[in-house]
Amino acid sequence: MPVATRTIEQTLQELLQDTFLSFRQIEGNILIERKIAQADYEIKGRVVDINHRSIAFANVMLKQLATNRWIQVAQSDTGGHFRLTAAEQGDYLIRISEVSKDSLSLSLALGDIRTLQLPDIILIESTRQLKQITITSTRPVLERKADRWIFNLNNTIMANGSSLFEALQGAPFLKVSDIGVSMVGKGGMGVMVNEKIIYLSGTDLTNYLKTLRSESVEKIEIITNPPAKYEAQGNAGLINIVLKKNESLGWRGSISSSFVQRTYSSYHNNLALFYRSEKVSSSFTVNQSKYRSIIKESNDIIDRPNPILGRGRRVTTTPGVQASLSVDYKLNKNNNIGLIYNVSDSKSLTTLNNKTSYQTSNTIDSVLNTTASISRPLFTQTLNTYHDLKIDTAGKKLSSSVSFFTNKPRIRNDFVSESENTYASVRNNSISRYRIWSIQSDLTLPYKWVTVETGVKFANFNNGADVAYYNYFHEKFLLDNTRSNEFNYTENNLASYVSMESELSKKWTAKAGLRYEYTTMDGYSPTLEQRSRRSYGALFPTAYLLYKATGNDVISLNYSRRINRPGLNFLNPFTFYSNIYSYSVGNPLLLPSYSNNLEISYLYKGMFSFTAFTQHSSDIFSSITTVNGPSVVSRIENYLTQDNLGAYVSFNRALFKWWDNSTSASFFFASSKSKIEDVPTQNGSSASFSINNSFKATPKLSFNLNYSQNLPSTGGNVYTYSQRNLTTGARLKLLNDNLILSSSIFIGSVSKYEIRFSDFVQSVKTDYDYKTFNLGLTYLFGRSKVSGNNRNVLFDEKRRAQ
């Protein structure tokens, strides 16, 4: 919000004029407009003396600067309180005067906030000295726009001295953990900075969020139903991190390190540098980490005459380095160009010990022991170049970009499976080569009554993959052609969209868009001599309606149609083994699934929100398990249609100056139908809640205490057991707030679910070693108000290759 400044008048003449004006004189010289019953804005305040004693009957006048008219006159009551109203947004001037005191002039701007509570206004004994007092009015923590929620991070305890990763844990609709960021009820999601997508996911994304400081962030935009401008792919929503507009020249940076202790210890280090000159803005981040984790799991096939019980233990070490460079160059006042380059180099090393028991009527027939060594080196690169053209001063602009992404994951799985009668030493290698590029152009045309956005995009996917299966025989690994495969896949997507948004009145805002996407795909396996070609096109409409009932109530309604294309690894028809009897296989014939989403929400006083939604999804693809003797096979099929009905409620407020609270709860009901008889479904529900608290003990010391729980749920043919998490931590700022010490403790419960088929149940239980101690150290240096280039370019297609 703009900062309003009030200044004590310097001359005695103005003081006398303000002080001794009577209501009769005012009515004779100025126009007084009283529209209290119809007022959209309310301004409240209290007039006191220097000792904070109430001043009764002080004159208070409100002037509209656009018309240069005084529109209201009031007097403070016996308690010093006054109330003013205005019907329109804009710039205003308030004058407060009393016979024996200096008068004050307070200028302010009325915008989004409908009720403005001013701090106590102090009138002092008459003096001719110039005085100045600054009042800053704050936005509510939560706001609603036509197509998104606004979480004003600035108004929380976490807004100062924390990383953005920590601050996001108090945002509504979001779930934040070390393994990624997700949206309640939608799973994984896209993350943008200043409307530009970030091409990171999982731990790479959380490491990047830890390099951003909460002080640099103005607000978080949470988009549950993305408009037509964004890709129709996926149904997970988006968040947009809006950085503070900052033109300070120079450089700044931060360096941080964290130590993580579970069963094994891990660490993470990062460096972030930001530089800005009159023409160049840039940022450079580098993250180096080494994580070591242990996972204990069971995977049982039960409720059948011959149960198969599996127990496993995986220890994974993941060293990695990730770096990002972003440079923006201003050619002139209307043109700027830039590039963003991201590179990541990691290597996952896993040792696996698994014991599988094959039973008949609770009697063990045989036991298969499998030991494996799995390595997965992964090197990825993303390059984006862009050009922005400002067409005029009214905000018309044209943005164009070219993006390229490549990675080459290699998996080498050496395992030995042995029992009393069986011994097999196997090597199962998988190599994929992803190359994705896109070109797009977006035009923004703001007019007085409507803002139009339109654009086009073309994207190309190319994936070559092969799987080789080797049997160890006579001290050599010999290729088994019957279990090996090669697959080449190409996909082209062409998209165009148009979107319009208009403020119909002070109370009504509408937005609508239409996106069309056309896809061609070609998959060929020379090993199987099998080719799959397909092409399809679809329209994806979006619509939003916002109604501001009063200054405290906002109601919104939105609709979107989405598509969920299968990941490229799902389309590869190769077979990958976990032991000699168990394997998973892809499906090149998979179809995309479609969903229709309808959502209605209500926001009260920027602190309480309620959202109800419904979703219909068809051709959902998921994994199906089949059992034939000792063989357990998982494959991907389109077989599910599902209708979801749910509600989400949140409460975000500073209960006291030292205590922020964010509480939320959700409920879902799912009705499912399966096309496959062996996969029976049933209707079911789920619920969850979370309570997040931030406490400010001193200006330098703060604490947080968070608890969340997912209650048991049923959806389709999956039953999920309850799971809960508890986090507590502290932050201490030293050396003029440049050195930040942080610590946290996380305690979580195991993950357990059942997949129910017609003739058996697959029960999966996983312990992710969810007892964690984290100790972090961050040092800030350079000029604190320098903002680097945090520009990114939309390149959503990359997520399908990860």
Side-chain angles (χ1 to χ4, degrees):
M1 284 294 292
V3 174
T5 304
R6 57 183 182 179
T7 307
I8 297 178
E9 301 300 324
Q10 202 169 8
T11 65
L12 182 60
Q13 180 180 358
E14 292 185 49
L15 171 63
L16 295 175
Q17 178 183 355
D18 290 334
T19 303
F20 294 104
L21 282 175
S22 66
F23 284 113
R24 185 176 301 276
Q25 290 172 317
I26 294 170
E27 292 175 357
N29 293 280
I30 61 177
L31 175 65
I32 301 175
E33 298 183 359
R34 298 183 178 273
K35 297 181 179 180
I36 296 177
Q38 302 169 344
D40 286 334
Y41 296 92
E42 183 180 38
I43 306 164
K44 298 179 181 180
R46 179 171 173 254
V47 185
V48 298
D49 62 19
I50 197 170
N51 296 315
H52 284 271
R53 291 189 295 262
S54 301
I55 299 179
F57 309 113
N59 294 324
V60 185
M61 301 184 295
L62 181 65
K63 183 178 185 179
Q64 187 177 35
L65 297 183
T67 60
N68 198 33
R69 296 184 302 179
W70 296 96
I71 63 171
Q72 190 177 357
V73 174
Q75 279 191 326
S76 60
D77 59 20
T78 54
H81 298 282
F82 66 86
R83 175 178 176 269
L84 300 171
T85 60
E88 299 177 352
Q89 64 179 7
D91 296 325
Y92 290 83
L93 179 73
I94 298 178
R95 281 195 174 183
I96 306 101
S97 60
E98 199 269 339
V99 175
S100 61
K101 305 292 189 298
D102 279 335
S103 64
L104 295 177
S105 293
L106 167 64
S107 60
L108 53 83
L110 298 181
D112 292 337
I113 299 178
R114 299 292 175 170
T115 301
L116 184 61
Q117 177 66 56
L118 302 177
D120 285 354
I121 299 172
I122 302 175
L123 296 183
I124 62 176
E125 299 296 329
S126 286
T127 177
R128 299 183 183 182
Q129 296 180 352
L130 180 66
K131 301 289 183 181
Q132 180 169 301
I133 302 172
T134 300
I135 300 173
T136 303
S137 59
T138 58
R139 293 180 181 271
V141 174
L142 193 61
E143 296 180 89
R144 178 72 202 192
K145 300 300 181 183
D147 61 353
R148 63 196 65 194
W149 294 92
I150 309 296
F151 178 64
N152 289 306
L153 181 61
N154 254 348
N155 302 337
T156 67
I157 291 176
M158 299 298 287
N160 193 297
S162 67
S163 70
L164 182 57
F165 173 79
E166 295 170 310
L168 279 177
Q169 296 182 34
F173 302 96
L174 302 183
K175 291 184 177 180
V176 182
S177 70
D178 282 332
I179 60 175
V181 182
S182 61
M183 188 172 289
V184 174
K186 293 179 177 288
M189 56 181 297
V191 178
M192 301 183 292
V193 172
N194 289 344
E195 282 287 332
K196 309 303 176 185
I197 201 73
I198 294 176
Y199 313 112
L200 301 173
S201 60
T203 55
D204 283 341
L205 174 60
T206 59
N207 289 341
Y208 173 79
L209 294 175
K210 289 175 183 179
T211 67
L212 295 178
R213 305 304 305 166
S214 59
E215 297 90 341
S216 302
V217 178
E218 179 181 345
K219 59 186 177 181
I220 308 295
E221 297 181 343
I222 302 167
I223 309 171
T224 55
N225 271 343
K229 178 179 179 179
Y230 306 107
E231 300 294 327
Q233 164 65 25
N235 196 41
L238 295 167
I239 64 170
N240 180 39
I241 302 164
V242 180
L243 302 178
K244 294 177 180 176
K245 294 182 179 180
N246 189 322
E247 300 300 329
S248 297
L249 306 183
W251 65 279
R252 69 173 176 89
S254 68
I255 185 169
S256 64
S257 181
S258 62
F259 171 80
V260 181
Q261 182 64 55
R262 295 187 177 96
T263 300
Y264 300 106
S265 60
S266 304
Y267 65 85
H268 169 249
N269 304 310
N270 69 62
L271 170 70
L273 298 172
F274 304 91
Y275 173 77
R276 179 181 290 274
S277 67
E278 292 183 356
K279 287 188 171 292
V280 177
S281 61
S282 63
S283 62
F284 173 75
T285 63
V286 59
N287 305 288
Q288 185 264 336
S289 61
K290 185 176 182 180
Y291 293 103
R292 194 178 187 199
S293 63
I294 180 172
I295 297 176
K296 300 175 183 178
E297 57 191 345
S298 64
N299 193 333
D300 300 335
I301 307 296
I302 56 177
D303 288 356
R304 64 190 300 266
N306 302 312
I308 302 175
L309 308 180
R311 300 291 181 271
R313 181 178 183 271
R314 284 183 285 161
V315 177
T316 301
T317 303
T318 310
V321 178
Q322 184 268 329
S324 176
L325 173 66
S326 179
V327 180
D328 184 278
Y329 182 74
K330 187 176 181 180
L331 295 172
N332 53 50
K333 65 178 182 178
N334 293 325
N335 289 271
N336 69 291
I337 58 175
L339 67 85
I340 307 112
Y341 177 66
N342 294 288
V343 60
S344 177
D345 188 12
S346 64
K347 186 175 184 178
S348 174
L349 303 170
T350 301
T351 59
L352 169 68
N353 290 279
N354 182 269
K355 179 181 179 180
T356 304
S357 301
Y358 300 89
Q359 300 183 356
T360 301
S361 300
N362 297 323
T363 301
I364 297 177
D365 290 336
S366 62
V367 176
L368 183 69
N369 292 301
T370 300
T371 59
S373 176
I374 306 170
S375 67
R376 187 181 186 270
L378 177 62
F379 182 78
T380 68
Q381 297 182 85
T382 306
L383 176 65
N384 315 101
T385 60
Y386 62 85
H387 171 249
D388 291 335
L389 170 65
K390 295 180 181 178
I391 300 175
D392 60 17
T393 57
K396 296 183 179 68
K397 64 178 181 179
L398 176 66
S399 300
S400 304
S401 67
V402 178
S403 304
F404 178 76
F405 167 79
T406 179
N407 72 354
K408 193 176 181 180
R410 294 171 172 263
I411 302 177
R412 175 172 171 172
N413 182 14
D414 291 341
F415 66 86
V416 174
S417 292
E418 57 182 334
S419 64
E420 286 186 3
N421 303 317
T422 304
Y423 178 86
S425 180
V426 173
R427 173 170 293 170
N428 195 189
N429 294 344
S430 169
I431 301 175
S432 294
R433 297 167 293 276
Y434 296 105
R435 292 181 297 276
I436 304 172
W437 68 272
S438 73
I439 181 170
Q440 70 181 86
S441 187
D442 299 282
L443 179 65
T444 303
L445 302 171
Y447 298 101
K448 289 184 178 180
W449 61 276
V450 67
T451 296
V452 179
E453 293 179 308
T454 186
V456 295
K457 183 173 186 177
F458 175 79
N460 170 265
F461 300 80
N462 194 288
N463 173 224
D466 59 76
V467 172
Y469 187 96
Y470 300 87
N471 292 306
Y472 191 73
F473 187 71
H474 290 313
E475 299 183 353
K476 292 182 180 180
F477 281 103
L478 301 179
L479 181 66
D480 185 346
N481 288 314
T482 64
R483 300 188 179 189
S484 302
N485 188 28
E486 183 181 349
F487 183 68
N488 298 307
Y489 178 81
T490 302
E491 180 180 308
N492 295 311
N493 289 331
L494 179 63
S496 62
Y497 74 91
V498 62
S499 175
M500 294 183 290
E501 181 175 1
S502 177
E503 188 172 333
L504 305 177
S505 67
K506 293 179 182 179
K507 293 183 178 294
W508 291 93
T509 301
K511 183 173 183 175
L514 185 64
R515 186 180 185 92
Y516 178 76
E517 295 189 359
Y518 183 77
T519 302
T520 63
M521 50 186 290
D522 182 7
Y524 177 64
S525 171
T527 308
L528 303 176
E529 295 185 353
Q530 181 184 71
R531 181 178 292 276
S532 172
R533 286 178 174 168
R534 189 181 304 118
S535 61
Y536 56 90
L539 289 170
F540 301 96
T542 57
Y544 308 86
L545 188 64
L546 181 74
Y547 176 63
K548 297 179 180 179
T550 66
N552 295 326
D553 304 282
V554 181
I555 301 171
S556 64
L557 177 69
N558 61 69
Y559 164 81
S560 70
R561 185 173 189 251
R562 309 284 294 172
I563 185 173
N564 188 23
R565 299 182 179 90
L568 301 185
N569 59 323
F570 285 175
L571 296 168
N572 291 342
F574 56 71
T575 302
F576 197 80
Y577 286 79
S578 56
N579 63 42
I580 58 173
Y581 298 127
S582 300
Y583 60 89
S584 60
V585 60
N587 182 1
L589 301 179
L590 280 179
L591 300 172
S593 65
Y594 295 87
S595 65
N596 289 277
N597 308 273
L598 183 65
E599 184 178 280
I600 185 169
S601 63
Y602 168 71
L603 177 63
Y604 177 70
K605 285 191 173 180
M607 62 180 182
F608 174 81
S609 73
F610 174 81
T611 300
F613 64 88
T614 181
Q615 178 189 82
H616 173 78
S617 301
S618 58
D619 286 327
I620 299 174
F621 47 85
S622 187
S623 176
I624 297 176
T625 301
T626 57
V627 181
N628 184 12
S631 179
V632 180
V633 181
S634 297
R635 70 184 191 276
I636 307 295
E637 296 284 354
N638 295 97
Y639 68 91
L640 195 63
T641 299
Q642 187 164 295
D643 290 285
N644 293 330
L645 180 65
Y648 177 86
V649 61
S650 72
F651 176 82
N652 297 79
R653 188 176 182 181
L655 301 179
F656 301 96
K657 291 182 178 180
W658 51 271
W659 181 5
D660 282 355
N661 176 264
S662 173
T663 300
S664 64
S666 61
F667 173 81
F668 305 92
F669 175 80
S671 174
S672 307
K673 292 183 180 180
S674 172
K675 297 178 181 178
I676 301 176
E677 291 184 1
D678 291 339
V679 187
T681 61
Q682 63 184 75
N683 298 339
S685 61
S686 64
S688 65
F689 67 90
S690 68
I691 303 172
N692 300 294
N693 299 283
S694 299
F695 305 97
K696 190 174 184 179
T698 71
K700 304 292 184 182
L701 179 63
S702 60
F703 300 89
N704 66 281
L705 178 63
N706 305 328
Y707 179 81
S708 64
Q709 182 165 353
N710 296 324
L711 301 180
S713 64
T714 300
N717 66 325
V718 179
Y719 177 82
T720 304
Y721 289 81
S722 178
Q723 188 174 11
R724 56 188 179 275
N725 301 313
L726 174 68
T727 305
T728 182
R731 287 179 297 124
L732 177 63
K733 295 183 288 186
L734 302 170
L735 302 180
N736 295 323
D737 297 346
N738 289 323
L739 181 65
I740 302 170
L741 301 175
S742 62
S743 65
S744 65
I745 296 175
F746 175 79
I747 300 174
S749 58
V750 299
S751 169
K752 184 179 179 181
Y753 62 91
E754 293 178 353
I755 308 174
R756 297 168 177 173
F757 299 94
S758 60
D759 54 354
F760 68 90
V761 173
Q762 184 175 10
S763 176
V764 180
K765 182 179 179 181
T766 308
D767 182 353
Y768 288 99
D769 200 12
Y770 272 155
K771 292 181 180 178
T772 307
F773 171 74
N774 191 306
L775 181 64
L777 175 68
T778 300
Y779 180 69
L780 311 176
F781 54 89
R783 299 186 62 181
S784 62
K785 293 186 177 181
V786 173
S787 60
N789 180 34
N790 289 283
R791 170 73 184 263
N792 278 278
V793 180
L794 289 174
F795 193 22
D796 296 341
E797 292 80 6
K798 172 185 168 181
R799 284 183 283 172
R800 294 179 60 205
Q802 297 177 337

